[in-house]
Amino acid sequence: MRRTRGDIFRRRALVVGVILALIASACVVKLSYIQLFSASSTAQAATASRMATRVLQAQRGTIVDTNGVVLAQSVESYTVYADQVAVEGFKPVKCTGKNASTCHQIDGKPVGATGAAAVAKLLAPVLGMNTMELGGKLVGTSRYVVLKKNVVPAVKRQIDNLHLSGVINYELTSNREYSDNGLLGTVLGGVDAEGTGVAGIEKMTNASLVGKDGSVSYQRGANGQEIPGTRVAAKDPVNGGTVKLTIDWDVQWYVKKALKDAQAKTGSAWGIAVVQRVKDGRIVAIADTDDYAAGSDEAKMNASKAITSVFEPGSTGKLITAAGLLQEGIHKPTDRFQVPYQIEVNNQTYHDSHEHGLENLTLAGILKESSNVGTVMASSNYSVKKRYEYISKFGIGQSTGLNFPGESSGTLTPYQSWDLRTRNTVLFGQGGYSASALQMTNVVATIANKGVRCGQSIIESSTDAEGNDTTPKTNEPVRVIDEGVASELMDMMESMASQYSGLIKVKGYRIAGKSGTAQVAGATGALTSHIGDFIAAIPADDPQFVITVVLKDPAGVYGGVTAGPVVGTIGEFLMQKYEVPASSQRKNAIPTEW
């Protein structure tokens, strides 16, 4: 039987129909299986393919002064970036009056462009950028191109109102801001581009200030934007802790001003000032004449001179000698000496700062007149080993315990290496050792604190991101000299300071202090420069503070004349600010002459 073309067509149609039916059946079976047995896992897989996780950055902690005044804080900011692939496909949505939350327009008119040109026209005015320049940054195939950093929240909200989600995005960052205006720059230090402390207090307390980042997981739309209501997991960021300094900002400001005024008046190359509380070693102010703002490159590269710079203290070192002579029972303050202008010991000649005839001085008078010759004479039975021991006992050559980055411990060479001259010059603060202004401040504070050397501190308290107490421990208090010896030294220092009563004026308050003048190396390495310093405890009858002022190469040279008046200016401010009771009348001063 011969087949017709119609039969062939019908057979082929039947075969195709059967095949299509089988395919449809398979699809139905597969769909039924998916819906009945694997719907959950399939939905999960689809959701997983759309999921994304974003880091929520924690803010760095805050640094405040002893009264809670904010000195350093992190301010919320954003890094704005573009997805160039999404930009290329961007088409503005025409505003109809009913779609204000999604449409795009410029001054009430259509954008009039698509892609990078459209995005640039919308975004450039908000970012304060040139439209053409911005448009160039938007063209390409990168999914992440930074457009601008440190964008403030107000600008970020303006970008939100442009409805460019998925095309233009941002990351939360933070901007470190300081309120020091150069008053405490080298002490506060600064952070690097990643927000890690690299200098000063920022580095010293970095572990306390660093926060713990959080995260959020969500589903993304076609253009990478977050789909509202799809957040499935979130871990809130935890900001860093708080570091409270012992610094009083009001005192810091006044000390810095007094120091700068003194630099201008005396023509000094630089100056240093320290104010320390006697009873606990807390640093109330620490300043130098540098004007480096915290966070600047200069503040990161230059540490505080008061903590890191060392120098031979000169005549303020005589306090350590006098303390050793009294404590060892070698002399009493009233012991008598006939002191010439010049003396020779072991073929080494020593002389005083100015010529004079034979003077009848007690040990107290030798300190008052700051006589090098008298100090050498009084120390004839004071062994070289003991000279070394007392310099060490007062903390020279040792860490203050601050653990400040770059802190100097000073230098104290072994007494066995001292030559014949150095063995005597150490008695008046020249040769054999050097110290920082911070260390010399604690020498006087030890005497003012009835002979007990406290550990110094610049951190009053600190906590980390989890609220744990991270306050650094200070060095334990150490008795250096007996209370009676300390009292005698305070009396002797008060006589010394009284010589400058016309220059160092704190009306109603007695001052116990010591001046110092020392030769130091100049630019060529020769002893062509000098340091003038004055350190005082106030009030002398009930010491609350020790004030140190150091000037490099001041006109007038001598510390009592150059640095002394600055100490008086600062002391007057302290007495008024803290309402310290006026001093009682001085009685029974130790004789200085005979």
Side-chain angles (χ1 to χ4, degrees):
M1 182 178 175
R2 188 176 180 180
R3 295 178 181 174
T4 67
R5 289 183 177 179
D7 292 336
I8 295 173
F9 176 76
R10 283 192 295 273
R11 287 176 179 272
R12 289 178 177 174
L14 180 61
V15 171
V16 171
V18 171
I19 292 172
L20 291 174
L22 290 173
I23 292 173
S25 298
C27 290
V28 170
V29 171
K30 182 65 175 178
L31 180 61
S32 299
Y33 175 80
I34 291 173
Q35 290 178 330
L36 294 174
F37 301 104
S38 63
S40 176
S41 61
T42 302
Q44 290 175 1
T47 299
S49 69
R50 298 193 299 271
M51 290 301 296
T53 300
R54 184 172 70 247
V55 173
L56 301 177
Q57 188 179 38
Q59 298 280 13
R60 187 171 176 83
T62 303
I63 302 174
V64 300
D65 86 332
T66 187
N67 298 310
V69 175
V70 175
L71 305 179
Q73 63 182 338
S74 290
V75 179
E76 180 181 304
S77 62
Y78 296 86
T79 295
V80 179
Y81 67 93
D83 180 341
Q84 291 177 332
V85 175
V87 168
E88 184 180 7
F90 175 74
K91 294 181 180 180
V93 176
K94 185 178 180 180
C95 293
T96 64
K98 297 181 180 180
N99 60 347
S101 62
T102 58
C103 72
H104 307 91
Q105 60 182 358
I106 299 175
D107 296 330
K109 299 178 181 180
V111 178
T114 61
V119 175
K121 289 175 70 175
L122 288 164
L123 188 58
V126 176
L127 291 182
M129 297 176 67
N130 178 273
T131 304
M132 295 294 291
E133 180 185 351
L134 179 58
K137 286 188 173 185
L138 295 171
V139 176
T141 59
S142 174
R143 307 305 296 255
Y144 183 91
V145 175
V146 173
L147 303 179
K148 195 167 187 178
K149 293 183 177 181
N150 297 324
V151 171
V152 298
V155 174
K156 185 258 186 188
R157 289 191 291 271
Q158 288 180 287
I159 298 173
D160 287 338
N161 293 333
L162 296 177
H163 317 307
L164 296 173
S165 176
V167 177
I168 302 299
N169 306 292
Y170 14 71
E171 295 174 337
L172 176 64
T173 58
S174 60
N175 195 29
R176 198 67 168 164
E177 292 189 353
Y178 301 91
S179 57
D180 77 302
N181 296 319
L183 294 180
L184 203 61
T186 54
V187 174
L188 292 173
V191 300
D192 61 16
E194 284 70 45
T196 301
V198 293
I201 297 294
E202 291 278 26
K203 180 178 181 179
M204 178 179 167
T205 62
N206 189 66
S208 298
L209 294 170
V210 170
K212 294 183 178 296
D213 291 342
S215 63
V216 59
S217 297
Y218 58 92
Q219 294 185 40
R220 296 175 296 184
N223 291 324
Q225 77 275 19
E226 179 179 341
I227 300 174
T230 62
R231 293 194 178 191
V232 295
K235 181 181 179 182
D236 292 334
V238 181
N239 294 336
T242 298
V243 172
K244 177 184 282 191
L245 304 184
T246 59
I247 302 293
D248 186 316
W249 191 242
D250 291 341
V251 179
Q252 180 71 24
W253 177 88
Y254 193 86
V255 168
K256 179 85 172 190
K257 181 181 182 302
L259 196 59
K260 294 287 285 186
D261 289 346
Q263 181 187 29
K265 183 177 180 180
T266 64
S268 303
W270 49 256
I272 297 171
V274 178
V275 177
Q276 177 174 323
R277 204 161 69 176
V278 169
K279 65 180 181 181
D280 53 18
R282 290 186 175 183
I283 307 303
V284 179
I286 183 166
D288 58 48
T289 48
D290 292 332
D291 288 319
Y292 304 137
S296 67
D297 290 341
E298 292 84 358
K300 297 173 193 176
M301 295 172 63
N302 297 277
S304 167
K305 283 186 174 70
I307 303 175
T308 62
S309 296
V310 297
F311 48 87
E312 293 181 352
S315 291
T316 51
K318 290 171 183 169
L319 292 173
I320 298 176
T321 301
L325 292 174
L326 295 172
Q327 183 64 36
E328 293 299 314
I330 297 172
H331 286 296
K332 298 188 294 295
T334 54
D335 284 355
R336 299 177 175 185
F337 301 85
Q338 286 191 314
V339 182
Y341 161 67
Q342 185 172 292
I343 191 174
E344 187 174 300
V345 179
N346 294 327
N347 296 319
Q348 299 292 320
T349 301
Y350 307 93
H351 59 78
D352 286 339
S353 60
H354 58 280
E355 290 193 28
H356 60 79
L358 197 65
E359 295 181 332
N360 295 330
L361 302 175
T362 64
L363 182 64
I366 289 173
L367 189 69
K368 176 184 176 181
E369 298 299 327
S370 198
S371 170
N372 295 340
V373 173
T375 302
V376 173
M377 292 175 63
S379 302
S380 59
N381 294 324
Y382 188 37
S383 73
V384 174
K385 183 179 180 181
K386 286 295 181 182
R387 299 174 193 191
Y388 174 91
E389 284 181 4
Y390 275 91
I391 295 170
S392 179
K393 283 181 179 181
F394 274 96
I396 310 303
Q398 305 164 40
S399 170
T400 63
L402 289 186
N403 295 318
F404 188 89
E407 174 190 351
S408 175
S409 297
T411 60
L412 176 56
T413 58
Y415 67 90
Q416 295 90 340
S417 66
W418 293 351
D419 59 26
L420 291 177
R421 185 165 187 81
T422 302
R423 292 175 185 178
N424 284 319
T425 59
V426 295
L427 297 169
F428 46 86
Q430 295 231 313
Y433 73 98
S434 62
S436 68
L438 205 61
Q439 289 175 315
M440 291 308 297
T441 300
N442 216 21
V443 169
V444 174
T446 298
I447 297 170
N449 195 39
K450 300 180 180 179
V452 175
R453 175 162 61 89
C454 290
Q456 293 170 294
S457 63
I458 199 169
I459 307 296
E460 182 175 325
S461 65
S462 66
T463 56
D464 63 14
E466 296 177 343
N468 299 313
D469 185 356
T470 56
T471 307
K473 292 184 178 180
T474 59
N475 290 343
E476 290 294 321
V478 177
R479 177 163 291 283
V480 178
I481 52 178
D482 294 340
E483 185 174 337
V485 170
S487 178
E488 290 173 337
L489 280 169
M490 286 294 291
D491 188 288
M492 294 161 69
M493 289 165 61
E494 190 169 357
S495 293
M496 191 279 164
S498 67
Q499 294 183 106
Y500 299 97
S501 59
L503 294 171
I504 308 172
K505 300 176 181 179
V506 185
K507 188 176 180 180
Y509 298 91
R510 291 157 49 189
I511 299 173
K514 183 71 186 77
S515 64
T517 306
Q519 289 181 307
V520 295
T524 63
L527 296 178
T528 55
S529 287
H530 57 274
I531 292 288
D533 60 339
F534 197 93
I535 310 175
I538 182 171
D541 54 329
D542 183 20
Q544 301 296 311
F545 300 98
V546 169
I547 307 163
T548 296
V549 173
V550 181
L551 298 174
K552 170 76 178 302
D553 289 329
V557 182
Y558 299 109
V561 175
T562 58
V566 192
V567 170
T569 299
I570 295 171
E572 188 170 30
F573 177 80
L574 291 171
M575 297 301 97
Q576 293 175 358
K577 174 177 171 58
Y578 294 107
E579 299 180 348
V580 177
S583 293
S584 58
Q585 191 71 26
R586 187 184 186 193
K587 299 178 181 178
N588 303 319
I590 297 172
T592 59
E593 298 176 346
W594 57 277

